[in-house]
Amino acid sequence: MTSRTYIIEEGNRLNNYAIEPKMYVEQSQGFGFTEYAEMLNGRLAMIGFVSLILLEVFTGHGLIGWLTRL
């Protein structure tokens, strides 16, 4: 007996893995200026910018002033 998503073998054993999924291989390069790398870079830049603003708000000094006080 065959179904769309599974196969029942002899002895009424359920075989969920009888139908293999289609494989997808991406042909483009995975390094360099990819969309994911640019998105990650932008998010990290936003986190850094907000962190610098919070540092200035809580300490009263900018990054250079805060680093020279150490």
Side-chain angles (χ1 to χ4, degrees), residues 3-62:
S3 180
R4 300 180 98 201
T5 57
Y6 61 89
I7 292 177
I8 297 177
E9 296 177 341
E10 59 187 57
N12 289 332
R13 291 181 298 181
L14 181 64
N15 187 348
N16 287 332
Y17 305 105
I19 301 172
E20 294 184 16
K22 294 187 181 206
M23 298 298 292
Y24 173 74
V25 177
E26 188 175 343
Q27 298 296 327
S28 65
Q29 297 177 348
F31 59 91
F33 294 105
T34 62
E35 183 177 341
Y36 174 74
E38 291 298 315
M39 194 171 6
L40 181 63
N41 187 24
R43 288 178 180 167
L44 291 175
M46 288 185 273
I47 290 171
F49 185 72
V50 170
S51 299
L52 284 176
I53 290 174
L54 292 175
L55 176 76
E56 188 168 348
V57 167
F58 288 124
T59 64
H61 298 284

